[in-house]
Amino acid sequence: MKASLILGLIAVLMAGLLARPTRAQGRNDAREQTLAQLANRDRAARGLSPLRWSEALAEAAHLHAVRMAQQNALSHQFPGEPGLADRASRAGARFSSLAENVALGPSAEGIHQQWMNSPPHRANLLDPNLDSVGIAVEDRDGTLFAVEDFSLAVGELSIQEQERLVEKQLQTQGVHIVDYTDDARRSCPLDNGYAGSHRPSFVVHYATADLETLPGMLEERIRTGKYHSAAVGACPSNGKFGFSSFRVVVLLFE
């Protein structure tokens, strides 16, 4: 292959990479603002908390809105496109649940009314268990393609804060916390089993978005009365568990 042809192919590939649509950080789109304001107006009218703006969700929504406008079609996922959870995660969102509204129309006001007249879309807008939103609007020849991505956001917690929340739940069930944290943290990245010098009687690995609720398997073990102490270890999530944002291991001792 000639050098000029190789350089030409490289140029084409680089152009494709540079052409990937990106959302300007904090961009001020009046139509997106209108949709956000209308959503929170209708939530307030029903005594619901307002949705907080998420720039990460807005980026995920933007990528999908661009694709809908390019395809001139509505869909929650086009062939070859990542799903909603992947799009949100890649944009940097941390969440325990997600929902999405898509629509096309001539105006932001008309699109919002479409959603409010549709039971599934209305349910997303008025869901009391969702607290964040990112919105994107793309224009194709006067037709607006709109995406609203909603989530129940998961806050940033240190490893120690994660462990304290789990320990508190264990203590309320009469389990004594022992200082084998190093063993537990070394065990956390494992798919099963434990690592360390203190051999537990039972090990529970789990992923969760709610650190204030123990998994059913762990509660069942505690209810047997066999286990009187525990060590807790947390580790960063690697996205393997989908929506779950925290990974935890509990070492139980008799």
Side-chain angles (χ1 to χ4, degrees):
M1 185 178 291
K2 294 182 178 180
S4 59
L5 180 55
I6 293 173
L7 291 173
L9 288 172
I10 292 173
V12 169
L13 289 171
M14 289 300 295
L17 291 173
L18 294 174
R20 179 181 180 272
T22 57
R23 184 179 189 279
Q25 182 77 13
R27 79 175 188 173
N28 187 21
D29 188 297
R31 298 161 303 187
E32 295 168 0
Q33 286 188 13
T34 295
L35 287 171
Q37 291 165 359
L38 291 172
N40 281 331
R41 179 201 67 184
D42 285 345
R43 287 175 68 90
R46 292 157 179 82
L48 299 172
S49 299
L51 295 165
R52 297 190 298 269
W53 183 264
S54 165
E55 195 61 39
L57 290 178
E59 170 64 15
H62 170 70
L63 293 175
H64 189 59
V66 168
R67 192 179 291 252
M68 288 200 307
Q70 290 172 341
Q71 299 285 336
N72 196 24
L74 292 180
S75 176
H76 288 288
Q77 185 177 9
F78 291 99
E81 180 187 24
L84 173 58
D86 284 340
R87 296 198 302 268
S89 295
R90 293 178 186 185
R94 288 172 55 86
F95 52 88
S96 59
S97 61
L98 285 172
E100 183 176 72
N101 286 347
V102 298
L104 61 83
S107 68
E109 294 81 0
I111 286 172
H112 177 74
Q113 197 56 51
Q114 284 184 51
W115 283 332
M116 289 298 290
N117 291 338
S118 165
H121 299 91
R122 178 189 177 95
N124 288 338
L125 279 159
L126 303 180
D127 190 336
N129 296 315
L130 297 172
D131 62 13
S132 302
V133 69
I135 302 172
V137 175
E138 286 296 314
D139 190 327
R140 175 173 173 149
D141 301 326
T143 297
L144 303 182
F145 290 81
V147 179
E148 285 182 330
D149 285 343
F150 307 90
S151 79
L152 177 60
V154 174
E156 296 287 345
L157 295 174
S158 69
I159 294 296
Q160 292 82 1
E161 288 171 329
Q162 295 173 41
E163 291 165 353
R164 297 296 87 79
L165 287 172
V166 177
E167 289 172 356
K168 182 178 178 181
Q169 300 308 310
L170 291 168
Q171 289 172 324
T172 62
Q173 300 202 30
V175 178
H176 175 67
I177 303 301
V178 293
D179 189 17
Y180 300 157
T181 304
D182 288 344
D183 285 5
R185 288 180 182 171
R186 289 169 59 192
S187 302
C188 189
L190 305 177
D191 289 332
N192 51 66
Y194 77 100
S197 56
H198 302 88
R199 183 182 181 86
S201 303
F202 195 80
V203 181
V204 178
H205 291 264
Y206 66 98
T208 183
D210 182 6
L211 290 168
E212 298 188 47
T213 301
L214 298 177
M217 178 192 298
L218 181 54
E219 289 189 328
E220 289 174 9
R221 286 282 168 172
I222 294 171
R223 283 196 293 267
T224 66
K226 292 173 55 179
Y227 309 99
H228 303 290
S229 58
V232 178
C235 60
S237 174
N238 59 8
K240 175 180 178 181
F241 297 96
F243 284 15
S244 301
S245 296
F246 302 109
R247 294 177 60 195
V248 180
V249 64
V250 176
L251 309 181
L252 292 173
F253 300 89
E254 295 183 6

